[in-house]
Amino acid sequence: MSTLVVQIPPRLRLRARSSDAVDPESRSGVDYQYALTSDGLALNSEGQCAPSLLPKATSVVAVLSDADVSWHRITLPKAPAARLQAALVGVLEDALLEDAEGVHLAVAPGASAGEPTWVAAVDRAWLAGELAVLEKSLVFVDRVVPVAWPDEPPCGHFEELSAAAQRPGEESTGVALSWAHAEGVVFIPLQGSLARSLLPTPLPEGTHWTATPGVAATAEGWLGTSVSVTSTAHRALKAARSLWNLRQFTLARKNRGSRALRDVWRQFQTPTWRPLRYGIIALIVVQIVGLNLWAAHQGSQLSGKKKSMLALLQATFPNVRGGLDVPLEMQRETDSLRTAAGKPGDADFEPLMQAAASAWPPDRPPVDQFKFEPGRLTLKIDGWSPEQVERFSSQLRPSGWQVDANEGLLVLSRASSNATLPRSKS
């Protein structure tokens, strides 16, 4: 499963607080540093490009710089999940440097209610804007992680200080130190004595020191010991392997609708599901081949039955050479033979009159008006009661006759002929 790690550019410190929200249109030309890995350990590729040109991957992790996350140690309040965010704001309201409504809070992984834990604080409008920029380019971030967090053993990292990461009034020193230990995380330029005063003396054993290639020599001279050279991409890749996820509460991913379908499809494309994919493809191929073979078999049987019917028709009526509609032609020839023999059929006048006479009410006079059409006899029944009409119909129905009555007219026909009742004339 491939993972795309995107480095979110540091938040600008010199602009007004009211403009912290990121406008996706204004950021369309900003490039993002990225790292691509197939196993989460080895770096396959890295680079810098616009959001729309970022490589495709099964999962996306966004990494925030050291200066964009502040850390607070609290006892996690005992509150329902739906009210935990409000409870965190109430606990940290006095400790936050900015308005609590504009700060996004995230709890450390594995935190338990009533136990001490770390809470990360990020500018909500800025982070939501950065996520919107990526989503506009169809880069959907699954997790947001800090590049450093309070942990043991301590870690120190030296890197170039970008202009965006500087605070108002600071002069560019070129190099900054990120010091992450069990008591928190600080990010400070090397200028002056503050950075050195924050480090314990002597330095803790087991401290892991790293630096980007461009400042490695400066870092070793300032620190007085060797450091491991690591790139920004490798450091972001290491951060992506953590259990942190700052997409909580109002910034949590909404796994609904098309996003949920995309997640299912993305999971289905992972190597773990490869045997199932091959099995489904094989099943579909077998079904298609089987359906075609069955259709060919059914077509062969149908063709054989049509030939048998045509042979029977030509054997019974040698003068018939057609075969477009064998049942119709056979019925037509049978009717011709019956007519030539002088025998009436079900659609003739005599059977219809005999059926009507057999059910005619004894207290009604003979019919004075009627109309005959092949297969249908219309009788005028003025003065009949509904009971008489129903009795007439019930007597003929068992013999396969259909009786329709409307406006003083009674239509008699075979039940299978679906005769239509004509409207009476005034």
Side-chain angles (χ1 to χ4, degrees):
M1 182 176 67
S2 60
T3 302
L4 176 66
V5 183
V6 181
Q7 179 72 52
I8 301 297
R11 182 165 64 101
L12 296 178
R13 305 294 175 182
L14 300 181
R15 58 184 175 183
R17 177 67 182 88
S18 60
S19 62
D20 278 345
V22 178
D23 181 11
E25 297 294 338
S26 64
R27 296 296 301 275
S28 59
V30 176
D31 290 342
Y32 286 76
Q33 291 183 332
Y34 71 87
L36 186 64
T37 176
S38 58
D39 56 5
L41 301 174
L43 186 64
N44 292 355
S45 63
E46 61 177 299
Q48 184 172 344
C49 63
S52 58
L53 301 178
L54 288 171
K56 301 300 180 182
T58 54
S59 65
V60 180
V61 179
V63 179
L64 303 184
S65 62
D66 304 84
D68 290 327
V69 184
S70 61
W71 299 93
H72 306 274
R73 184 73 169 176
I74 66 169
T75 298
L76 189 64
K78 296 180 180 180
R83 298 185 179 182
L84 182 56
Q85 183 182 14
L88 292 176
V89 172
V91 173
L92 293 172
E93 188 172 7
D94 295 336
L96 298 175
L97 298 179
E98 299 178 352
D99 186 3
E101 295 181 356
V103 177
H104 171 69
L105 302 176
V107 182
S112 300
E115 299 293 333
T117 187
W118 284 101
V119 174
V122 186
D123 185 275
R124 178 185 287 116
W126 167 77
L127 180 56
E130 291 290 349
L131 295 176
V133 171
L134 294 173
E135 290 181 357
K136 184 181 178 181
S137 301
L138 301 182
V139 180
F140 299 99
V141 177
D142 298 287
R143 290 195 302 134
V144 177
V145 301
V147 72
W149 56 92
D151 199 5
E152 286 284 1
C155 296
H157 177 74
F158 298 88
E159 63 180 22
E160 295 87 348
L161 181 63
S162 64
Q166 296 181 60
R167 294 178 175 83
E170 290 181 349
E171 296 181 3
S172 176
T173 61
V175 183
L177 169 63
S178 172
W179 173 244
H181 55 105
E183 301 301 322
V185 179
V186 294
F187 182 77
I188 191 168
L190 296 186
Q191 182 185 21
S193 59
L194 180 58
R196 194 174 298 276
S197 65
L198 291 176
L199 298 180
T201 305
L203 295 175
E205 293 185 6
T207 302
H208 184 57
W209 297 100
T210 59
T212 56
V215 301
T218 303
E220 290 180 347
W222 185 88
L223 190 62
T225 185
S226 61
V227 299
S228 300
V229 178
T230 183
S231 65
T232 302
H234 279 90
R235 189 174 183 231
L237 184 61
K238 179 182 177 181
R241 294 196 294 268
S242 71
L243 299 179
W244 276 94
N245 184 14
L246 305 187
R247 295 208 70 168
Q248 302 178 21
F249 306 120
T250 57
L251 294 184
R253 283 197 54 198
K254 303 299 188 296
N255 291 323
R256 297 179 181 177
S258 60
R259 295 283 291 277
L261 294 176
R262 184 182 62 86
D263 289 344
V264 173
W265 176 249
R266 186 178 62 186
Q267 183 68 22
F268 184 71
Q269 291 180 313
T270 60
T272 306
W273 292 83
R274 184 177 297 142
L276 179 60
R277 293 199 302 270
Y278 289 162
I280 292 177
I281 293 175
L283 181 61
I284 293 175
V285 172
V286 170
Q287 290 289 334
I288 293 176
V289 173
L291 288 174
N292 281 277
L293 292 176
W294 179 251
H297 174 69
Q298 291 289 83
S300 177
Q301 285 190 333
L302 182 60
S303 177
K305 290 181 179 180
K306 288 182 177 180
K307 290 180 180 179
S308 299
M309 292 174 61
L310 180 59
L312 177 62
L313 173 65
Q314 293 177 345
T316 307
F317 304 103
N319 59 322
V320 177
R321 297 303 179 191
L324 296 178
D325 192 339
V326 174
L328 180 61
E329 293 181 0
M330 184 171 290
Q331 182 65 42
R332 186 183 299 119
E333 293 296 327
T334 302
D335 291 341
S336 298
L337 291 177
R338 178 182 49 74
T339 302
K343 295 183 178 181
D346 289 341
D348 290 338
F349 176 71
E350 292 85 350
L352 290 168
M353 287 297 294
Q354 290 176 359
S358 65
W360 196 263
D363 57 343
R364 300 305 304 175
V367 64
D368 55 354
Q369 292 185 18
F370 65 87
K371 179 181 179 182
F372 169 73
E373 296 174 338
R376 186 170 62 176
L377 179 64
T378 304
L379 306 172
K380 187 175 180 60
I381 56 169
D382 292 336
W384 282 38
S385 65
E387 292 78 9
Q388 291 175 326
V389 174
E390 178 61 28
R391 190 180 307 114
F392 185 86
S393 301
S394 61
Q395 291 181 10
L396 294 179
R397 192 177 299 116
S399 301
W401 296 100
Q402 177 178 330
V403 178
D404 297 318
N406 186 25
E407 298 181 0
L409 296 177
L410 193 151
V411 178
L412 178 63
S413 62
R414 277 295 180 186
S416 58
S417 63
N418 297 325
T420 302
L421 180 65
R423 295 187 175 276
S424 62
K425 298 180 181 180
S426 56

